[in-house]
Amino acid sequence: SVKSYTAKEVAQHATRDDCWIILDNKVYDVTSYVDEHPGGDAILNHAGADSTEGFHGPQHPTRVFDIIEDFYIGNLVETSKDK
């Protein structure tokens, strides 16, 4: 079954050693990819937050859309507190 995470939970994973990002309302644990990221520390710009805009930027080749699925851990859910 798919896990669900709130934005508040994702926000607790905002460091190089524990890096989750949100893309299109899905949550990805990219911790193991941070040091491999061709764009360097740019991947940390939105650590623990929504990276959708940057992810869909022109700097990314289309293969990243396949690569990212390996890091998928669940879906983002809105709670009444998030609104």
Side-chain angles (χ1 to χ4, degrees):
S1 69
V2 176
K3 290 197 72 168
S4 295
Y5 300 95
T6 65
K8 191 171 182 181
E9 287 174 306
V10 175
Q12 293 169 2
H13 303 271
T15 66
R16 172 183 296 281
D17 300 318
D18 183 11
C19 182
W20 291 13
I21 57 173
I22 298 163
L23 302 172
D24 298 311
N25 294 314
K26 291 182 178 179
V27 180
Y28 299 86
D29 179 351
V30 294
T31 306
S32 62
Y33 188 69
V34 170
D35 289 335
E36 309 288 322
H37 185 239
D41 286 351
I43 195 171
L44 299 172
N45 289 349
H46 299 284
D50 195 310
S51 295
T52 303
E53 190 176 337
F55 179 75
H56 289 292
Q59 77 282 9
H60 282 152
T62 51
R63 66 185 173 82
V64 300
F65 304 115
D66 297 323
I67 294 169
I68 195 65
E69 290 311 315
D70 293 341
F71 302 97
Y72 171 74
I73 56 170
N75 293 331
L76 184 70
V77 292
E78 282 190 19
T79 64
S80 53
K81 290 181 199 159
D82 291 336
K83 294 184 174 149

